[in-house]
Amino acid sequence: MTGILSCKVATSPQQLVGYWGYEQPQELAKLLNIVLKQYSGNDWSLKSFASTKNLVATLCAGGLTSSSQTNASSDAWVKITQSRLILGREIFGRVPFYWTKIEQVIWFASRLQLLLPVIPSKEVSIPALYGYSCFSYVPTPLTPITNIFAVPAGTEQTWQGDAASGTIANPQSHQLLEWCEQTEQIKDETEAIYELQLFLQAGIEHQIADLDDEPVGIFLSGGLDSSVVAALLVQAGVKVRAYTLDFGESGIPEYPYAEQVAQWLNIPLIKVEATPKRIEQALLPTVEALDLPFGDGVTVPLFLLNQVASQETKIIFNGEGGDQLFAGWTNKPLIAASVYQREHPLGKESFEQQYLRTFHRLWGYEQQVFQPEIVAQLENLQPQDWLHTALDATSTSSLLHRLRRATLMLKGAQNIHPRATNLAFAHGLKVRSLFCDLSLAQWTFRLSGELCLQGGCEKYILKRAVESWLPPEIVWRQKRGMGVPLTSWCLHDWWRNIGIWLNPGILQAEGRWQPKLTEQIVFGKLGGVIQGRRIGEILWLLIMWQLWRSQVLGEPIGNRTWNHPFWLPYQFWSYGKQWIQE
């Protein structure tokens, strides 16, 4: 029997979905229409292509001019010929891309939810759940749903069809680019400063080349990276509006630093209040926008920033990626641990295990976190396996470049950049990241380690290159993460909500998390390091998973129980604990 190849692709300005394979064309087209009807609010443009035609469809997070063929500004793409399907993503991972195989048909989409109506059953992937508990994101190529997979960043996957038999072979993967340390290292500081300034200016010129006279937004935290982007935009003559977050008295203040930068650059600054009430109201829309579960506390505040910015602009710049390119503060503890191990080698952990600890999530707590049936399924899973490729020592000779390579491939490509794109797309925004510039990124692998991390000063060469563009207090102040006061919110403003979102009865019925897990976390009984701000971070990780599985996956919530401490105010339990200790 001769197979009949069917293929269709539906594209919107920001999403793509389609199929390719051997099946009845009418049935496939009908299923695609069902998918499109669920997203009828989007401006879909359905295009059909016969098997004898060639097709290249691309997506770009930043909305840069792109032709019908892949080029430097293409973030994700599909190529279809008479007998071959190719799905690809650029190396920074800005636009996600997913696929699933149903019989002899490959379905693909830039959004996981576009594939949910296609698959026969929506079963949670236990390896993906475990990965999420370790990293706060699902490691590629896994997705949280069994039999749906993600195309890894910087990869093309190719399927070959056989018309004679009507079958499709297993995909072949091709790595498009590797982050590798360059043989000749730049050690001269003056030379590095000069070249870096040129790369930064060229990068911003490329990203504004298609702009007319419209204003653009910049998410300005007052940290180094976003401030550099803002300064470069102003230098280039772009009309800039800055947006910053205000967490109130319970959070680490960002607004004063952002205000200082805005005044220095003479640009308007819009303060977006991230109060517990506003965060709570935006929770479900954020979960929907993210598409995948992301367990970092910055996601809902960033949703609010995108929401406000979208009322005044269509293009938003951010400072994401600077830590990955220039060896941000998270590298220092790993370097210190490596030095310590050389001096004290007995009982040492593997380098992958050390790196796992930098995520500060639930790795190592499996018996306390998961129900026994899940723990049994985790016995043959090693989360270090999801780190091996990124931590490959053969691509770099220095520890610092090895860590930079890992953060680009893991925390950058699998977490920071795709979530930034999805949050922007949900508000019709095009998102542009200066530090996702390939030429600049490859150049940083020519830098000697001393120019990136000098003593206790991280991102040294970037600070030296921009110190005349910004106030010295901004350039040289110590790095701090976004001060989202999750623990304060969870233990006070959301205390009763915790009993709803993470209700023991719901967790018990779900069969994954231990039903009393939330109690263990709140009262410091899970582990010694889960104290202070880690309490809020872990609770948030669980909340985002639970909301994702009900809001996006559509799993039933189950019956709640009153057998938990969250129906009484936290102050009652806090006082009781203090009384017992006394």
Side-chain angles (χ1 to χ4, degrees), residues 545-574:
W545 174 271
Q546 290 303 108
L547 294 179
W548 175 86
R549 70 120 184 159
S550 60
Q551 181 76 6
V552 175
L553 192 57
E555 285 191 340
I557 294 178
N559 296 322
R560 298 190 181 100
T561 178
W562 285 96
N563 184 22
H564 61 78
F566 302 102
W567 56 275
L568 284 175
Y570 173 72
Q571 289 81 355
F572 173 85
W573 299 102
S574 179

Short mmCIF file of all heavy atoms in Angstrom, two decimals, residues 545-574:
data_model
loop_
_atom_site.label_atom_id
_atom_site.label_comp_id
_atom_site.label_asym_id
_atom_site.label_seq_id
_atom_site.Cartn_x
_atom_site.Cartn_y
_atom_site.Cartn_z
N TRP A 545 2.43 24.09 40.35
CA TRP A 545 2.14 22.78 39.77
C TRP A 545 0.66 22.45 39.90
O TRP A 545 0.02 22.01 38.94
CB TRP A 545 2.98 21.68 40.40
CG TRP A 545 2.57 20.32 39.92
CD1 TRP A 545 1.60 19.51 40.45
CD2 TRP A 545 3.03 19.65 38.74
NE1 TRP A 545 1.46 18.36 39.71
CE2 TRP A 545 2.32 18.43 38.65
CE3 TRP A 545 3.98 19.96 37.77
CZ2 TRP A 545 2.54 17.52 37.61
CZ3 TRP A 545 4.20 19.04 36.74
CH2 TRP A 545 3.49 17.85 36.67
N GLN A 546 0.12 22.64 41.10
CA GLN A 546 -1.27 22.29 41.35
C GLN A 546 -2.22 23.11 40.47
O GLN A 546 -3.21 22.58 39.95
CB GLN A 546 -1.62 22.48 42.82
CG GLN A 546 -0.96 21.48 43.75
CD GLN A 546 -1.28 20.04 43.38
OE1 GLN A 546 -0.43 19.31 42.86
NE2 GLN A 546 -2.52 19.62 43.60
N LEU A 547 -1.94 24.38 40.33
CA LEU A 547 -2.79 25.21 39.48
C LEU A 547 -2.63 24.85 38.01
O LEU A 547 -3.60 24.88 37.25
CB LEU A 547 -2.47 26.70 39.70
CG LEU A 547 -2.82 27.24 41.10
CD1 LEU A 547 -2.42 28.71 41.20
CD2 LEU A 547 -4.31 27.07 41.39
N TRP A 548 -1.41 24.49 37.61
CA TRP A 548 -1.20 24.07 36.22
C TRP A 548 -1.98 22.80 35.91
O TRP A 548 -2.65 22.70 34.88
CB TRP A 548 0.29 23.83 35.95
CG TRP A 548 0.52 23.29 34.57
CD1 TRP A 548 0.66 24.00 33.41
CD2 TRP A 548 0.57 21.90 34.19
NE1 TRP A 548 0.81 23.14 32.34
CE2 TRP A 548 0.75 21.85 32.78
CE3 TRP A 548 0.47 20.70 34.89
CZ2 TRP A 548 0.85 20.65 32.08
CZ3 TRP A 548 0.57 19.51 34.19
CH2 TRP A 548 0.76 19.49 32.80
N ARG A 549 -1.93 21.83 36.79
CA ARG A 549 -2.55 20.54 36.49
C ARG A 549 -4.07 20.64 36.48
O ARG A 549 -4.75 19.87 35.80
CB ARG A 549 -2.06 19.46 37.44
CG ARG A 549 -2.53 19.58 38.88
CD ARG A 549 -3.31 18.34 39.25
NE ARG A 549 -3.88 18.43 40.58
CZ ARG A 549 -4.91 17.69 40.96
NH1 ARG A 549 -5.49 16.86 40.11
NH2 ARG A 549 -5.39 17.80 42.17
N SER A 550 -4.66 21.62 37.21
CA SER A 550 -6.11 21.80 37.16
C SER A 550 -6.52 22.79 36.06
O SER A 550 -7.48 22.54 35.34
CB SER A 550 -6.65 22.28 38.51
OG SER A 550 -6.07 23.52 38.88
N GLN A 551 -5.76 23.88 35.91
CA GLN A 551 -6.13 24.94 34.97
C GLN A 551 -5.79 24.59 33.53
O GLN A 551 -6.57 24.84 32.62
CB GLN A 551 -5.43 26.24 35.37
CG GLN A 551 -5.74 27.44 34.49
CD GLN A 551 -7.11 28.02 34.79
OE1 GLN A 551 -7.77 27.58 35.74
NE2 GLN A 551 -7.53 29.00 34.01
N VAL A 552 -4.62 24.01 33.30
CA VAL A 552 -4.17 23.71 31.94
C VAL A 552 -4.46 22.27 31.56
O VAL A 552 -5.05 22.00 30.51
CB VAL A 552 -2.66 24.00 31.80
CG1 VAL A 552 -2.15 23.57 30.42
CG2 VAL A 552 -2.38 25.49 32.01
N LEU A 553 -4.06 21.34 32.41
CA LEU A 553 -4.25 19.93 32.09
C LEU A 553 -5.71 19.51 32.26
O LEU A 553 -6.17 18.57 31.61
CB LEU A 553 -3.34 19.07 32.97
CG LEU A 553 -3.20 17.61 32.59
CD1 LEU A 553 -2.69 17.46 31.16
CD2 LEU A 553 -2.26 16.90 33.56
N GLY A 554 -6.44 20.19 33.14
CA GLY A 554 -7.86 19.89 33.32
C GLY A 554 -8.13 18.70 34.21
O GLY A 554 -9.21 18.10 34.13
N GLU A 555 -7.19 18.32 35.07
CA GLU A 555 -7.43 17.22 36.00
C GLU A 555 -8.45 17.64 37.05
O GLU A 555 -8.47 18.80 37.47
CB GLU A 555 -6.13 16.81 36.69
CG GLU A 555 -5.19 16.02 35.82
CD GLU A 555 -4.05 15.42 36.62
OE1 GLU A 555 -3.78 15.90 37.73
OE2 GLU A 555 -3.42 14.47 36.14
N PRO A 556 -9.28 16.73 37.51
CA PRO A 556 -10.24 17.07 38.57
C PRO A 556 -9.51 17.44 39.85
O PRO A 556 -8.47 16.88 40.18
CB PRO A 556 -11.05 15.78 38.73
CG PRO A 556 -10.19 14.69 38.17
CD PRO A 556 -9.40 15.32 37.06
N ILE A 557 -10.09 18.37 40.59
CA ILE A 557 -9.44 18.88 41.79
C ILE A 557 -9.60 17.92 42.96
O ILE A 557 -8.69 17.76 43.78
CB ILE A 557 -10.00 20.28 42.15
CG1 ILE A 557 -9.62 21.28 41.05
CG2 ILE A 557 -9.48 20.75 43.50
CD1 ILE A 557 -10.17 22.67 41.27
N GLY A 558 -10.71 17.28 43.10
CA GLY A 558 -10.93 16.37 44.22
C GLY A 558 -11.56 17.08 45.40
O GLY A 558 -11.75 18.30 45.41
N ASN A 559 -11.87 16.33 46.44
CA ASN A 559 -12.54 16.87 47.62
C ASN A 559 -11.54 17.39 48.64
O ASN A 559 -10.54 16.73 48.93
CB ASN A 559 -13.42 15.80 48.27
CG ASN A 559 -14.55 15.37 47.35
OD1 ASN A 559 -15.13 16.19 46.64
ND2 ASN A 559 -14.87 14.09 47.36
N ARG A 560 -11.84 18.54 49.18
CA ARG A 560 -10.97 19.13 50.20
C ARG A 560 -11.30 18.54 51.57
O ARG A 560 -12.40 18.07 51.83
CB ARG A 560 -11.13 20.65 50.24
CG ARG A 560 -10.74 21.35 48.95
CD ARG A 560 -10.70 22.86 49.16
NE ARG A 560 -10.35 23.56 47.92
CZ ARG A 560 -11.23 24.14 47.12
NH1 ARG A 560 -12.52 24.12 47.45
NH2 ARG A 560 -10.84 24.75 46.03
N THR A 561 -10.33 18.62 52.45
CA THR A 561 -10.51 18.22 53.83
C THR A 561 -10.24 19.42 54.74
O THR A 561 -9.53 20.36 54.34
CB THR A 561 -9.55 17.07 54.21
OG1 THR A 561 -9.74 16.74 55.57
CG2 THR A 561 -8.10 17.48 54.00
N TRP A 562 -10.82 19.38 55.95
CA TRP A 562 -10.55 20.43 56.94
C TRP A 562 -9.44 20.00 57.89
O TRP A 562 -9.12 20.74 58.84
CB TRP A 562 -11.81 20.75 57.73
CG TRP A 562 -12.79 21.55 56.93
CD1 TRP A 562 -13.86 21.09 56.22
CD2 TRP A 562 -12.78 22.97 56.74
NE1 TRP A 562 -14.52 22.11 55.60
CE2 TRP A 562 -13.87 23.30 55.91
CE3 TRP A 562 -11.95 24.00 57.20
CZ2 TRP A 562 -14.15 24.59 55.51
CZ3 TRP A 562 -12.23 25.30 56.81
CH2 TRP A 562 -13.32 25.58 55.98
N ASN A 563 -8.85 18.86 57.64
CA ASN A 563 -7.81 18.34 58.53
C ASN A 563 -6.45 18.97 58.20
O ASN A 563 -5.55 18.33 57.69
CB ASN A 563 -7.74 16.82 58.42
CG ASN A 563 -6.75 16.22 59.41
OD1 ASN A 563 -6.42 16.84 60.42
ND2 ASN A 563 -6.27 15.02 59.10
N HIS A 564 -6.34 20.25 58.47
CA HIS A 564 -5.08 20.97 58.22
C HIS A 564 -5.06 22.22 59.10
O HIS A 564 -6.10 22.66 59.61
CB HIS A 564 -4.97 21.35 56.74
CG HIS A 564 -6.06 22.24 56.25
ND1 HIS A 564 -6.09 23.60 56.50
CD2 HIS A 564 -7.18 21.98 55.50
CE1 HIS A 564 -7.16 24.14 55.94
NE2 HIS A 564 -7.84 23.18 55.34
N PRO A 565 -3.90 22.84 59.29
CA PRO A 565 -3.81 23.99 60.21
C PRO A 565 -4.14 25.33 59.58
O PRO A 565 -4.10 26.35 60.29
CB PRO A 565 -2.32 23.96 60.62
CG PRO A 565 -1.63 23.39 59.43
CD PRO A 565 -2.58 22.38 58.84
N PHE A 566 -4.49 25.37 58.31
CA PHE A 566 -4.59 26.65 57.62
C PHE A 566 -5.93 27.35 57.80
O PHE A 566 -6.14 28.42 57.25
CB PHE A 566 -4.28 26.45 56.13
CG PHE A 566 -2.92 25.87 55.89
CD1 PHE A 566 -2.77 24.52 55.58
CD2 PHE A 566 -1.80 26.65 56.01
CE1 PHE A 566 -1.52 23.97 55.39
CE2 PHE A 566 -0.54 26.11 55.81
CZ PHE A 566 -0.39 24.77 55.51
N TRP A 567 -6.83 26.75 58.55
CA TRP A 567 -8.11 27.41 58.80
C TRP A 567 -8.04 28.33 60.01
O TRP A 567 -8.94 29.12 60.27
CB TRP A 567 -9.22 26.37 58.98
CG TRP A 567 -8.97 25.37 60.07
CD1 TRP A 567 -8.26 24.22 59.98
CD2 TRP A 567 -9.46 25.44 61.41
NE1 TRP A 567 -8.25 23.55 61.17
CE2 TRP A 567 -9.00 24.28 62.08
CE3 TRP A 567 -10.25 26.34 62.12
CZ2 TRP A 567 -9.27 24.01 63.41
CZ3 TRP A 567 -10.53 26.07 63.46
CH2 TRP A 567 -10.04 24.93 64.08
N LEU A 568 -6.92 28.24 60.77
CA LEU A 568 -6.65 29.20 61.84
C LEU A 568 -5.50 30.11 61.42
O LEU A 568 -4.63 29.70 60.65
CB LEU A 568 -6.27 28.46 63.13
CG LEU A 568 -7.40 27.81 63.92
CD1 LEU A 568 -6.83 27.01 65.08
CD2 LEU A 568 -8.39 28.85 64.42
N PRO A 569 -5.48 31.34 61.90
CA PRO A 569 -4.41 32.27 61.48
C PRO A 569 -3.02 31.73 61.82
O PRO A 569 -2.84 31.01 62.82
CB PRO A 569 -4.72 33.54 62.28
CG PRO A 569 -6.16 33.44 62.63
CD PRO A 569 -6.44 31.98 62.80
N TYR A 570 -2.04 32.10 60.99
CA TYR A 570 -0.67 31.65 61.21
C TYR A 570 -0.15 32.12 62.56
O TYR A 570 0.62 31.41 63.22
CB TYR A 570 0.24 32.18 60.09
CG TYR A 570 1.70 31.90 60.33
CD1 TYR A 570 2.22 30.61 60.20
CD2 TYR A 570 2.58 32.93 60.70
CE1 TYR A 570 3.56 30.35 60.41
CE2 TYR A 570 3.92 32.67 60.91
CZ TYR A 570 4.40 31.38 60.77
OH TYR A 570 5.74 31.13 60.99
N GLN A 571 -0.58 33.32 63.01
CA GLN A 571 -0.10 33.86 64.28
C GLN A 571 -0.42 32.91 65.44
O GLN A 571 0.35 32.81 66.40
CB GLN A 571 -0.73 35.23 64.53
CG GLN A 571 -0.21 36.33 63.64
CD GLN A 571 -0.88 36.32 62.27
OE1 GLN A 571 -1.68 35.43 61.96
NE2 GLN A 571 -0.57 37.32 61.45
N PHE A 572 -1.56 32.20 65.35
CA PHE A 572 -1.93 31.26 66.39
C PHE A 572 -0.89 30.14 66.51
O PHE A 572 -0.43 29.80 67.59
CB PHE A 572 -3.30 30.67 66.09
CG PHE A 572 -3.72 29.55 67.00
CD1 PHE A 572 -4.33 29.83 68.22
CD2 PHE A 572 -3.49 28.23 66.65
CE1 PHE A 572 -4.70 28.79 69.07
CE2 PHE A 572 -3.86 27.19 67.49
CZ PHE A 572 -4.47 27.48 68.71
N TRP A 573 -0.52 29.57 65.36
CA TRP A 573 0.45 28.47 65.35
C TRP A 573 1.84 28.97 65.71
O TRP A 573 2.60 28.29 66.39
CB TRP A 573 0.46 27.80 63.98
CG TRP A 573 -0.86 27.22 63.62
CD1 TRP A 573 -1.79 27.73 62.77
CD2 TRP A 573 -1.43 26.01 64.13
NE1 TRP A 573 -2.90 26.94 62.71
CE2 TRP A 573 -2.71 25.86 63.53
CE3 TRP A 573 -0.99 25.04 65.03
CZ2 TRP A 573 -3.53 24.79 63.80
CZ3 TRP A 573 -1.81 23.97 65.30
CH2 TRP A 573 -3.07 23.85 64.69
N SER A 574 2.17 30.17 65.24
CA SER A 574 3.47 30.74 65.55
C SER A 574 3.62 30.98 67.04
O SER A 574 4.64 30.67 67.65
CB SER A 574 3.66 32.05 64.77
OG SER A 574 4.91 32.63 65.07
#
